[in-house]
Amino acid sequence: MRIQAILGLLSSTHYVQNYFNDTLNVLNHLGSISPYHRARHDHASEIVSELPIDCTVDQVMLVHRHGSRGPIGEQRYIEQLVQTLHDATDVIQKVELPHELEFLRAGYNFSLAPHNLTILGRKELFDHGVEFALKYPHLTTDTILSSDSSRVVESARWFALGFFGLDPDVRIVTVNNKDDPVSWITPAPGPACPKFNYSFGQQATRTWSKHYLPVITDRLNMLLPGVGFTEDDIHGALFACAYDLASLGASPWCGVFRPDELVNFEYERDILMDASCGYMLPDNMGPLAGTVFVNKLIERFTDSQGDSRPLYLEFGHDVTILLALSALGLAKDDPPLSPDELRPGRKFWTSELTPFAANMVWEKFTCTSSYDGPQIRLILNDATMPLTICGQGMDPTLGTCSLDTFVNANHYSTSIRFRDETWNATCGV
């Protein structure tokens, strides 16, 4: 009861009011199922986005999440909501509906295909391809690497259409057609790390949902007596808000929820991902899996194998990006997030880190006078993410650091190799 009372008062707190006044668009705060938007990273408000005029980007490695898609496991909650509303049709027609629920008089249906890229998802990737070509007109490649997921392959194709134009001379290769012992696009879950399991995130979600869903359920049942909403129905309505946005760009359900209720839903999505592929995983499993990506990045930017290319275009999932960030110690909360406590000032914020169509861009650049030697910068969702892993070696103006400093700072990743003693002990290989 105490927790529910605190959550019920949150909408009037200074934090929630400022949070939504500053962002202007609450719908950008649905966790990893948010529509794409430019990020606002922690400690990045003073970062200068433009490189000095004497600097040139020589090499780029892009990792892009697929665009907006239909639901996956969340489909069952939405379907249950639709059934509950259908069963209560007579009640809904008779009851006096508040303004935000008047749409229910005409009924609510949901028909978005699970897993598939939506029309807006295609547009996100096409637009990003065009923007990328405008930003890096001097860089090109003849190969694109993708996860073997159909929505990711399709995302790569739409990006390629925007970047290269019609009939591009480029191959899309999927990770299952490569002979790498482990892919930096999909290092987990799978046989490479048997202990890695999404159930850790699902358990954290169930724990947090018990703190906030009952309050919303009670409120909506008071507004619609006789319908008999369950907590699963409310979950379905929150997911319907997000996936209507992914499909149509608007949803009547989004206006049903108060700002504090969306804050709690967003936190649910954050702890889901943090406990699934981030810092809340046991035995440091998230950072360990992310070392595969960090080592590949270092290999390419240092050209340690002698076969580096100027441009890498690669497509994966939110997990791909979050595992890499966890290996880098970025967006890390201390103490770790908890499924029993809302953490308003957290760093692990998937709305900013991995919305649909998230893109992680690594640049290696050199300058004639501003810096000595090659430098490295991370741009995540159109905003520089400061490379705090470099410590005092990070330039506070640009959030960058020298490539040498970056390599030395990532001694944890460079000390790990796939299926070495540490990997096998952690992953249960």
Side-chain angles (χ1 to χ4, degrees), residues 273-281 284-287 322-323 326 348:
M273 299 311 296
D274 199 1
S276 293
C277 54
Y279 298 107
M280 292 171 66
L281 273 171
N284 209 43
M285 206 177 308
L322 292 174
L323 288 175
S326 65
F348 196 93

Side-chain angles (χ1 to χ4, degrees), residues 226-249:
V227 173
F229 287 118
T230 66
E231 291 171 21
D232 282 351
D233 291 327
I234 302 307
H235 235 164
L238 287 160
F239 288 130
C241 162
Y243 285 110
D244 281 345
L245 283 176
S247 176
L248 305 171

Side-chain angles (χ1 to χ4, degrees), residues 197-211:
N197 195 311
Y198 289 139
S199 65
F200 297 112
Q202 293 162 355
Q203 179 56 52
T205 297
R206 285 192 291 269
T207 300
W208 174 246
S209 66
K210 292 175 183 176
H211 292 314

Side-chain angles (χ1 to χ4, degrees), residues 241-293:
C241 162
Y243 285 110
D244 281 345
L245 283 176
S247 176
L248 305 171
S251 174
W253 284 109
C254 296
V256 171
F257 299 103
R258 295 173 176 173
D260 62 297
E261 294 168 346
L262 292 173
V263 164
N264 291 320
F265 178 65
E266 181 184 33
Y267 188 65
E268 175 190 297
R269 305 305 297 174
D270 290 346
I271 60 173
L272 168 68
M273 299 311 296
D274 199 1
S276 293
C277 54
Y279 298 107
M280 292 171 66
L281 273 171
D283 303 322
N284 209 43
M285 206 177 308
L288 179 92
T291 62
V292 182
F293 176 89

Side-chain angles (χ1 to χ4, degrees), residues 87-120:
D87 293 344
T89 299
D90 291 343
V91 173
I92 291 170
Q93 295 305 317
K94 295 174 182 177
V95 73
E96 182 178 350
L97 296 173
H99 173 73
E100 67 271 21
L101 291 169
E102 285 179 353
F103 71 93
L104 292 178
R105 195 88 70 190
Y108 173 78
N109 291 295
F110 184 87
S111 58
L112 185 59
H115 300 272
N116 292 351
L117 207 63
T118 68
I119 294 173
L120 293 179

Side-chain angles (χ1 to χ4, degrees), residues 178-197:
K178 291 178 64 66
D179 57 3
D180 298 296
V182 63
S183 171
W184 54 98
I185 303 298
T186 55
C193 192
K195 283 188 179 179
F196 190 103
N197 195 311

Side-chain angles (χ1 to χ4, degrees), residues 46-321:
E46 303 301 320
I47 296 294
V48 175
S49 60
E50 297 296 327
L51 295 178
I53 195 170
D54 67 304
C55 300
T56 301
V57 175
D58 306 306
Q59 194 174 14
V60 169
M61 181 174 173
L62 164 71
V63 175
H64 207 302
R65 186 189 180 193
H66 58 76
S68 293
R69 56 155 171 80
I72 303 179
E74 311 97 334
Q75 177 81 4
R76 67 183 181 91
Y77 294 104
I78 303 175
E79 290 174 348
Q80 178 173 320
L81 168 69
V82 171
Q83 185 63 51
T84 296
L85 294 171
H86 175 76
D87 293 344
T89 299
D90 291 343
V91 173
I92 291 170
Q93 295 305 317
K94 295 174 182 177
V95 73
E96 182 178 350
L97 296 173
H99 173 73
E100 67 271 21
L101 291 169
E102 285 179 353
F103 71 93
L104 292 178
R105 195 88 70 190
Y108 173 78
N109 291 295
F110 184 87
S111 58
L112 185 59
H115 300 272
N116 292 351
L117 207 63
T118 68
I119 294 173
L120 293 179
R122 297 169 192 160
K123 182 179 184 299
E124 288 165 343
L125 270 293
F126 176 81
D127 289 348
H128 288 183
V130 172
E131 293 161 7
F132 209 78
L134 292 171
K135 187 172 184 179
Y136 304 108
H138 59 299
L139 300 178
T140 192
T141 183
D142 60 1
T143 305
I144 291 174
L145 180 63
S146 170
S147 154
D148 57 358
S149 167
S150 60
R151 64 179 176 274
V152 179
V153 174
E154 184 183 354
S155 294
R157 293 189 184 282
W158 284 106
F159 182 96
L161 183 62
F163 185 83
F164 295 102
L166 293 172
D167 302 318
D169 185 20
V170 61
R171 294 185 307 131
I172 296 180
V173 179
T174 59
V175 295
N176 61 346
N177 288 326
K178 291 178 64 66
D179 57 3
D180 298 296
V182 63
S183 171
W184 54 98
I185 303 298
T186 55
C193 192
K195 283 188 179 179
F196 190 103
N197 195 311
Y198 289 139
S199 65
F200 297 112
Q202 293 162 355
Q203 179 56 52
T205 297
R206 285 192 291 269
T207 300
W208 174 246
S209 66
K210 292 175 183 176
H211 292 314
Y212 84 97
L213 285 179
V215 180
I216 310 176
T217 306
D218 290 345
R219 182 176 73 82
L220 291 186
N221 276 327
M222 288 180 65
L223 291 175
L224 288 174
V227 173
F229 287 118
T230 66
E231 291 171 21
D232 282 351
D233 291 327
I234 302 307
H235 235 164
L238 287 160
F239 288 130
C241 162
Y243 285 110
D244 281 345
L245 283 176
S247 176
L248 305 171
S251 174
W253 284 109
C254 296
V256 171
F257 299 103
R258 295 173 176 173
D260 62 297
E261 294 168 346
L262 292 173
V263 164
N264 291 320
F265 178 65
E266 181 184 33
Y267 188 65
E268 175 190 297
R269 305 305 297 174
D270 290 346
I271 60 173
L272 168 68
M273 299 311 296
D274 199 1
S276 293
C277 54
Y279 298 107
M280 292 171 66
L281 273 171
D283 303 322
N284 209 43
M285 206 177 308
L288 179 92
T291 62
V292 182
F293 176 89
V294 176
N295 284 324
K296 180 56 67 173
L297 171 67
I298 291 173
E299 173 194 307
R300 289 168 168 175
F301 275 17
T302 60
D303 196 19
S304 64
Q305 301 299 310
D307 58 358
S308 268
R309 299 183 175 201
L311 178 62
Y312 295 91
L313 301 177
E314 300 179 337
F315 294 79
H317 305 263
D318 50 358
V319 176
T320 310
I321 295 173

